[in-house]
Amino acid sequence: MKDLDLVLRLQEHANQLRARIIETSSRASLPHLGSCLSCVDLLVALYFFKLKIDPKNPQDPLRDRFILSKGHAAPALFQVLARRGFFPMSDLDLCGKNGSVFGEHPPTPGYLPGIEAATGSLGHGMPMGLGMAIASRINQLNYSVYTILGDGECNEGSIWECAMLAAAQKINNFCILVDFNKWQATDRSKNVMHLDSLAEKWSAFGWEVFEIDGHDYFQIINALSKSSQKSGKPVAIIAHTIKGKGVSFMEDDNNWHYRIPNSNEVALSKKELGVSS
């Protein structure tokens, strides 16, 4: 019952957040909507269940670190950070406006509480996360580092260089979650690079691997809980997701990588998500 109550709370967060992400995309003409919606459940589980963080003390040296390596999903991260209390929700009214820190990608750290790294050029966020994880060992600080990657991002050679280094150094406070929505900007991921089996690849690189449904909160919570058991290896969670998750006419339709919803589509989306206003 305890887990069920938690899952219901997380699902409510996710529905509200998806509605706000869609509404903001329409108002501010922010793209990458499908990519944002596929990783919402992973972000919610991290920020409302797993991460050891205090929004009132965002620079606590013992805080867990999170890096959105697929930086183009920043419009989702901004909404999650606001709902978690890092800054007022009303600040998001500035999304997409000239001079605003709320753009298509995370800003440089220091401009927005909760942002650990400016990302967007794929293949860079994960190596920065590994550096932070290694720093915790050097500085003898007890924290963990989590990073969300896109499956298309796994095209990058820097990802696999980082994977080999983390395993060689036995970095056991580092966990990556792959948002495996099977799409890249212009084609199916499998048509661009031979990613399958992604789980076997990470395992072969010396990582402890969990393969889950990235929209099933029971599975996400279970995998994140096991990631803290310090097996002596870095952890990879391969999360099978759906691009555009939560709205029937957006799901698995890659047009929503760049397309902006109109007001009628926003209203239909909110109705499907059960969000009234």
Side-chain angles (χ1 to χ4, degrees):
M1 181 62 73
K2 184 178 178 181
D3 284 349
L4 179 58
D5 290 343
L6 171 63
V7 166
L8 291 174
R9 288 199 302 274
L10 296 178
Q11 288 174 335
E12 176 60 20
H13 284 305
N15 287 343
Q16 294 288 337
L17 285 161
R18 282 191 166 96
R20 285 191 58 89
I21 292 164
I22 293 166
E23 199 167 40
T24 304
S25 171
S26 178
R27 174 171 48 78
S29 297
L30 291 176
H32 304 132
L33 185 51
S35 305
C36 289
L37 297 179
S38 68
C39 66
V40 165
D41 296 309
L42 302 178
L43 286 168
V44 166
L46 283 165
Y47 276 91
F48 293 90
F49 166 70
K50 186 60 183 173
L51 292 179
K52 185 179 63 178
I53 50 174
D54 178 2
K56 295 180 180 178
N57 187 16
Q59 292 303 309
D60 183 348
L62 295 179
R63 71 190 184 283
D64 286 342
R65 273 69 167 172
F66 171 75
I67 296 177
L68 184 64
S69 199
K70 50 172 284 182
H72 55 289
L77 178 60
F78 296 150
Q79 297 287 346
V80 171
L81 289 174
R83 192 170 178 88
R84 188 66 177 81
F86 281 90
F87 47 82
M89 296 290 284
S90 58
D91 286 4
L92 295 169
D93 292 343
L94 298 172
C95 279
K97 294 186 177 179
N98 286 338
S100 170
V101 296
F102 301 107
E104 294 183 28
H105 298 90
T108 302
Y111 285 90
L112 194 62
I115 296 294
E116 302 284 357
T119 54
S121 184
L122 297 177
H124 289 175
M126 180 185 169
M128 285 191 279
L130 175 59
M132 293 177 186
I134 293 174
S136 77
R137 175 187 291 180
I138 295 170
N139 295 319
Q140 298 183 344
L141 295 175
N142 183 24
Y143 63 79
S144 296
V145 182
Y146 298 83
T147 302
I148 290 182
L149 315 177
D151 53 344
E153 188 175 7
C154 293
N155 295 358
E156 305 290 341
S158 57
I159 294 298
W160 300 105
E161 294 171 20
C162 182
M164 287 189 285
L165 177 61
Q169 297 300 313
K170 298 181 172 54
I171 304 300
N172 65 2
N173 63 335
F174 188 40
C175 174
I176 63 107
L177 301 93
V178 180
D179 176 15
F180 197 2
N181 65 30
K182 321 296 187 299
W183 280 106
Q184 303 187 17
T186 57
D187 202 350
R188 287 283 186 189
S189 297
K190 67 180 181 182
N191 294 336
V192 179
M193 287 285 192
H194 185 65
L195 290 178
D196 289 333
S197 158
L198 203 50
E200 291 177 1
K201 283 183 170 65
W202 284 96
S203 181
F205 273 70
W207 288 55
E208 184 173 18
V209 178
F210 301 98
E211 192 167 17
I212 64 170
D213 178 339
H215 303 304
D216 184 322
Y217 279 107
F218 289 104
Q219 293 188 33
I220 301 171
I221 290 169
N222 185 49
L224 286 173
S225 297
K226 289 180 178 177
S227 74
S228 303
Q229 294 177 359
K230 308 296 184 187
S231 64
K233 297 179 178 180
V235 173
I237 297 174
I238 311 301
H240 292 274
T241 59
I242 298 171
K243 201 162 186 173
K245 175 66 178 178
V247 180
S248 61
F249 57 88
M250 294 182 182
E251 289 190 356
D252 206 35
D253 180 351
N254 208 36
N255 287 311
W256 292 99
H257 191 82
Y258 293 118
R259 190 178 161 191
I260 306 298
N262 58 38
S263 57
N264 184 52
E265 289 164 337
V266 172
L268 289 172
S269 301
K270 292 172 73 173
K271 184 177 181 181
E272 286 196 15
L273 292 164
V275 176
S276 58
S277 59

